[in-house]
Amino acid sequence: MHKIIFIIILLFCWSTSYSQSTTKPQVLIITTGGTIASKTNAPSIEGHDLIQAVPELSNYATIEVDEFVNIGSSKMTPLLWLQLVKHIRDALNSNPEIKSIVITHGTDTMEETAFFLNLTHQSKVPIVLVGSMRSSNEVSADGPANLINAVRVGISPEAIGKGVMVVMNDNISAGRDLLKMNNRRVDAFPSTDLGFIGFCDPEKVTFYRSPIKPHTSESEFHIYNLDSLPKVDIVQDFAGFDSKILTYFTNRYNQGLVISSFAGGRLSNGFSEIYNLPATHKPIVISSSIKGGRIMGSNPEGTPIIIANDLPSNKARILLMLSLTITSKINEIQDYFNKY
Ligand code: ASP
């Protein structure tokens, strides 16, 4: 009798460990459109079809697909970002077994969506954004390999705590640092000053670095209860800039302004009046249009000016929007720009 009971227990333990070892991690793929879901001279691909076209995905994970939107990412908006981060929270609340979220996205605003989610996704569950530079029906389309790599990165135990990541062309970038630097090439996202955090090789995903700037569950930006985000505009400086343009942007309805300046934060004479504005004026962030290095120095006391450090204008806009959900005090906002 004891022998039979012992054999039953043994069988039970074996079957449990066997099912655990063979049960693949659950990955939710949220599709949003972009070139990865497009076909040249044909309508774009619906989310489920996009994923079904890459059956190899199920070698790595149990895949659930959810089509959030199907747009060219140049049509992405702050409202869609807000709805997306809530959508992700709801998905994780309804299925705590999800080990990772992969988001297929167009490359035009991929760096902005990644930066936004990196500051607002209040969870350690890894998010990996992925796209492609070639449409799905082009020769050597890069979408399928990028998608498989994104899932492999998302389920990698080392991905936990790395913040939002982006996988393109076998490279893993930190969501904060990504920059699109080419309009067409498959390596449109080269490593920035800060370098890739890891790589996807055929047999192994390897991480070499972790972002140190706070992100995801370490971030102070809790926005799940908001229905909209503060409005922030970007103005590009240029030689001979007309100050009337600045007057238009400072007078129009927005809660803040980002100036895309010359290197080092230098501005044309058309902007000189901002140095005479009081600190009670809506915040004006100076961000360099040069995609390398940071603006040195600190923000001039008693003015509404904030220095964006190494953030380009599109990301500085997002950080200002999020900062304004908490405060409109200039020095407190500058602290966020020094911290994030
Ligand atoms: N038009 C595309 C987009 O949605 C470009 C791409 O995905 O590569 O951003």
Side-chain angles (χ1 to χ4, degrees), residues 220-285:
E220 294 149 273
F221 303 114
H222 298 263
I223 61 168
Y224 293 130
N225 59 354
L226 298 182
D227 297 324
S228 65
L229 291 166
K231 194 173 165 29
V232 172
D233 292 324
I234 297 176
V235 194
Q236 173 69 52
D237 194 3
F238 51 84
F241 179 92
D242 179 343
S243 62
K244 291 193 200 65
I245 303 170
L246 174 63
T247 311
Y248 166 76
F249 276 99
T250 44
N251 294 344
R252 94 187 212 115
Y253 173 71
N254 57 39
Q255 278 88 48
L257 212 50
V258 172
I259 303 170
S260 182
S261 74
F262 295 114
R266 288 178 287 281
L267 295 170
S268 65
N269 291 340
F271 281 99
S272 49
E273 73 181 65
I274 66 171
Y275 295 95
N276 309 324
L277 293 169
T280 49
H281 185 276
K282 61 183 147 187
I284 298 179
V285 175

Side-chain angles (χ1 to χ4, degrees), residues 34-36 71-74 105-109 132-133 180:
T35 297
I36 193 169
I71 57 172
S73 71
S74 53
H105 194 289
T107 60
D108 293 351
T109 58
S132 75
M133 293 304 294
K180 187 175 183 179

Side-chain angles (χ1 to χ4, degrees), residues 22-44:
T22 54
T23 311
K24 298 188 181 97
Q26 287 192 33
V27 172
L28 173 63
I29 301 186
I30 297 177
T31 63
T32 70
T35 297
I36 193 169
S38 73
K39 283 187 172 172
T40 43
N41 313 323
S44 66

